[in-house]
Amino acid sequence: MTAEHPATAAVALPETQAPSDAYVPSARRLERERIRRARTRRATTVATVSTVVTGTVLVLAVLASPGWPRTRETFFSAHYAREALPKVLDGLLLNLRLLVICGAAVLALGLLLAIARTLRGPVFFPLRALATAYTDFFRGLPLVICLLLVVFGVPALRLQGVTTDPVLLGGTALVLTYSAYVSEVFRAGIESVHPSQWAAARSLGLTHRQALRHVVLPQAVRRVVPPLLNDLVSLQKDTGLVSIAGAVDAVYAAQILAGKSFNYTPYVVAGIVFVALTIPLTRFADWTTARMDRRRTQGGIA
Amino acid sequence: MSTTDAPQAVLRLESVRKTFGTSVVLRDVDLEVAPHTVTALIGSSGSGKSTLLRCANLLEEIDDGAVFLDGEEITDPRVDPDTVRRRIGVVFQAYNLFPHMTVLENITLAPRRVHGVPRDEAEDRARELLERLGLGDRAGAYPDRLSGGQQQRVAIARALAVRPRLLLLDEITAALDPELVGEVLGLVRELKEEGMTMVLATHEMGFARDVADQVCFLDGGVVLERGTPAEVFGAPRQERTRRFLSRLVEAGRL
Ligand SMILES: Nc1ncnc2c1ncn2[C@@H]1O[C@H](COP(=O)(O)OP(=O)(O)OP(=O)(O)O)[C@@H](O)[C@H]1O
Ligand SMILES: [Mg+2]
């Protein structure tokens, strides 16, 4: 309640503008806080106890099962795990490179496609139609078929100056398919922004482009962060499919080892590594969304 | 309620304090709202009228003090806020209608989902309310297709549909033309005659004067002055109230 409203500024008491007024919490407030604390403690205790009990029961059930010794040997062998880990991590480097480069390309292309589909007016009809056809086609085409066609079909054309590198071609196929998915996510986000936001932006004199850039897209992107992340995680796992073309990624590395030793531990190692990679990504996205929300609600409400 | 000499207040605020970060919006607010009366909250923009209403409905957690509904302390952390809110109807300053539902669905949502009223009954009641608010033909429309004043009245109908014990109205005449203001005024009066208890925040002093039993001037985080409209508007005791009112007179709003 500062000088934004001239009326307030004249009337408000200066000493009420900061909580430095001589305020002492009442007994009522202290009691209330005590009850809240007690309730939190109780809830935490219940959660801890039930987690420990459930965990113990699960572990005991697995360890007591008749096949456990054999299973442990075939899937959880420390020896094979130690042997597999460096090779799997080596392969993972390729997955990570593909994820970063394809991820960036997918987001950019997806956003462009989505924007192309929101353009209005007959001038943009060809662009709109093209974007629609593209998404319809690549969203429907199974990823494996897309990969096979690109990886084996493009080199077969023997075009001058076009690469035959399996990793590049595989990456291209991933981008083709995933940008179609992601463009639909972006489009849903853009359309979910209330029309009154467009009206308010345009009425301030912003062009379509400015309204999109400054008002609509920021709101749309914030809303679609969770589904986008979902697609990125999915992309991360599908980077393994480039092994079809012969590139050695983490999954293929594990497969080679498992084939040699008839022990499945390398698969488990590769699986754990992938999971370990996704968790920080998810937490990061949660953190950014929460931060954006906090910043918004701090600004005050109507 | 029992019929004692001094009927128990429907809503009572006791030394309520509410801060947002470092700004103290409500410093020490006391307020008492008797049954079947209308209380008008006035005060400059940003003085905390909306915040007070949100605290009364437990949409904001207060820092200190207490809020009582029918004598029961509702700010006790052991009280379930949902059951409290079921007894209170609110019309927000920005309407907050659900854009993905028709007018009828907006109104029948709470009766059907929260109070378990059968669909037919809820819809009958909704249509009756709409009829009364002059929106009988808009039941199937979506909020975006309505004018501001129509949305305002739908929001009122939505709040009334659950037959609340207490109605909190935030700036409900802000989007209305003078004719509709008169209509809403009539509606508030009718509701009062039917026994409704209401608290309304308003910048419309004429409205406050005509309909309120009690006027509270909110300033500097406290209720600086309270009394009947005649007392507050006719003979304000506080210097700051006088200044606020004289500025309104200058602006031709009183
Ligand atoms: N969620 C919030 N976070 C931070 N500050 C807030 C929040 N909500 C309200 N405020 C602040 O509290 C003060 C009182 O706001 P409030 O909306 O209650 O005023 P008001 O009296 O209803 O004003 P108006 O007459 O303009 O509706 C303002 O200074 C506002 O900035
Ligand atoms: Mg307000």
Side-chain angles (χ1 to χ4, degrees):
Chain A
M1 26 193 300
T2 43
E4 311 150 38
H5 306 294
T8 322
V11 186
L13 275 173
E15 70 262 29
T16 62
Q17 291 184 348
S20 54
D21 59 345
Y23 166 70
V24 184
S26 68
R28 191 185 260 144
R29 174 177 188 172
L30 298 177
E31 167 65 5
R32 221 175 258 156
E33 281 169 357
R34 194 191 58 72
I35 293 173
R36 288 212 185 91
R37 269 198 308 275
R39 195 157 52 182
T40 312
R41 253 198 321 273
R42 203 165 45 239
T44 317
T45 316
V46 169
T48 314
V49 169
S50 61
T51 309
V52 169
V53 168
T54 317
T56 316
V57 167
L58 276 178
V59 167
L60 287 180
V62 170
L63 294 186
S65 63
W68 172 243
R70 231 191 108 69
T71 311
R72 188 176 56 185
E73 195 42 46
T74 341
F75 287 89
F76 302 99
S77 148
H79 167 70
Y80 286 114
R82 225 171 295 127
E83 190 183 340
L85 192 60
K87 299 228 165 78
V88 167
L89 285 181
D90 260 1
L92 193 71
L93 229 53
L94 176 62
N95 294 92
L96 279 178
R97 277 213 312 271
L98 273 169
L99 172 67
V100 171
I101 295 167
C102 293
V106 161
L107 289 178
L109 188 56
L111 188 59
L112 284 179
L113 284 166
I115 292 173
R117 292 189 69 176
T118 63
L119 294 177
R120 292 281 156 262
V123 195
F124 295 112
F125 175 77
L127 201 57
R128 213 159 51 222
L130 211 64
T132 311
Y134 177 94
T135 31
D136 282 354
F137 182 74
F138 283 104
R139 213 155 49 118
L141 190 67
L143 176 57
V144 179
I145 294 181
C146 180
L147 259 166
L148 289 172
L149 290 181
V150 173
V151 168
F152 299 119
V154 171
L157 295 175
R158 295 173 199 280
L159 288 174
Q160 275 290 308
V162 172
T163 178
T164 53
D165 178 356
V167 175
L168 268 179
L169 289 172
T172 309
L174 286 174
V175 171
L176 286 175
T177 301
Y178 271 88
S179 58
Y181 288 145
V182 164
S183 88
E184 285 300 282
V185 173
F186 275 127
R187 192 165 69 100
I190 291 170
E191 282 173 5
S192 78
V193 174
H194 200 264
S196 64
Q197 297 295 304
W198 278 105
R202 297 308 293 274
S203 71
L204 291 171
L206 274 70
T207 61
H208 178 93
R209 199 194 152 111
Q210 288 170 320
L212 191 67
R213 158 86 182 73
H214 297 289
V215 176
V216 177
L217 275 185
Q219 299 184 50
V221 168
R222 184 175 326 205
R223 264 176 234 183
V224 297
V225 164
L228 276 182
L229 187 86
N230 213 19
D231 279 342
L232 280 187
V233 169
S234 179
L235 172 66
Q236 180 200 323
K237 293 183 290 185
D238 280 345
T239 51
L241 286 177
V242 295
S243 56
I244 290 180
V248 182
D249 77 313
V251 181
Y252 197 37
Q255 197 178 346
I256 293 170
L257 286 170
K260 271 200 296 216
S261 61
F262 298 105
N263 186 291
Y264 294 116
T265 308
Y267 285 131
V268 174
V269 171
I272 290 174
V273 165
F274 270 101
V275 172
L277 209 60
T278 344
I279 291 174
L281 201 60
T282 319
R283 288 296 155 271
F284 173 71
D286 287 353
W287 178 76
T288 34
T289 348
R291 205 183 54 151
M292 285 191 287
D293 281 349
R294 250 202 321 280
R295 221 185 282 162
R296 200 177 34 169
T297 46
Q298 216 115 82
I301 42 150
Chain B
M1 286 288 99
S2 59
T3 50
T4 43
D5 292 353
Q8 190 181 44
V10 173
L11 179 74
R12 192 154 57 82
L13 273 67
E14 227 180 81
S15 314
V16 166
R17 177 185 174 88
K18 173 73 196 167
T19 60
F20 289 109
T22 55
S23 74
V24 184
V25 177
L26 303 178
R27 192 153 49 97
D28 187 3
V29 169
D30 289 294
L31 184 72
E32 195 153 325
V33 179
H36 321 311
T37 63
V38 176
T39 298
L41 301 173
I42 61 169
S44 43
S45 188
S47 58
K49 303 180 294 294
S50 300
T51 306
L52 194 155
L53 294 180
R54 293 172 63 85
C55 288
N57 192 30
L58 303 184
L59 286 171
E60 299 281 359
E61 196 177 286
I62 59 173
D63 293 323
D64 204 341
V67 180
F68 298 85
L69 184 65
D70 283 325
E72 180 204 0
E73 194 203 324
I74 57 174
T75 39
D76 188 311
R78 286 161 294 196
V79 170
D80 175 11
D82 287 339
T83 60
V84 171
R85 293 194 193 114
R86 270 172 221 172
R87 291 186 276 157
I88 304 178
V90 186
V91 179
F92 293 99
Q93 192 164 358
Y95 323 144
N96 298 5
L97 293 175
F98 306 122
H100 59 297
M101 294 180 181
T102 64
V103 165
L104 199 65
E105 286 164 346
N106 259 285
I107 300 175
T108 55
L109 178 73
R112 289 180 58 200
R113 303 289 166 202
V114 181
H115 297 262
V117 176
R119 185 188 177 129
D120 292 347
E121 206 181 312
E123 288 187 351
D124 285 349
R125 162 100 176 137
R127 282 182 206 284
E128 190 188 304
L129 282 167
L130 284 174
E131 207 60 59
R132 196 164 141 195
L133 293 169
L135 288 170
D137 54 337
R138 293 313 178 96
Y142 282 89
D144 289 353
R145 302 285 170 79
L146 300 180
S147 74
Q150 289 168 334
Q151 292 184 34
Q152 182 76 82
R153 283 177 284 160
V154 173
I156 296 176
R158 184 173 68 175
L160 286 175
V162 296
R163 302 173 197 275
R165 171 86 177 115
L166 172 70
L167 197 56
L168 307 176
L169 308 165
D170 195 354
E171 220 90 53
I172 51 164
T173 50
L176 306 182
D177 67 34
E179 194 180 339
L180 284 175
V181 170
E183 242 173 71
V184 171
L185 196 115
L187 178 74
V188 170
R189 238 190 242 121
E190 248 176 73
L191 288 171
K192 184 174 117 180
E193 266 148 37
E194 287 169 23
M196 182 65 76
T197 309
M198 284 166 277
V199 180
L200 51 93
T202 185
H203 284 293
E204 194 86 39
M205 297 307 143
F207 185 59
R209 184 154 55 184
D210 283 347
V211 82
D213 300 287
Q214 175 184 224
V215 175
C216 297
F217 175 58
L218 218 60
D219 185 76
V222 297
V223 175
L224 195 61
E225 180 136 8
R226 98 183 66 224
T228 63
E231 286 165 1
V232 174
F233 294 121
R237 285 185 303 265
Q238 301 285 336
E239 170 58 26
R240 221 114 25 76
T241 321
R242 274 197 287 276
R243 272 214 305 243
F244 175 73
L245 292 174
S246 70
R247 241 197 332 272
L248 286 175
V249 173
E250 278 164 31
R253 290 178 63 181
L254 190 65

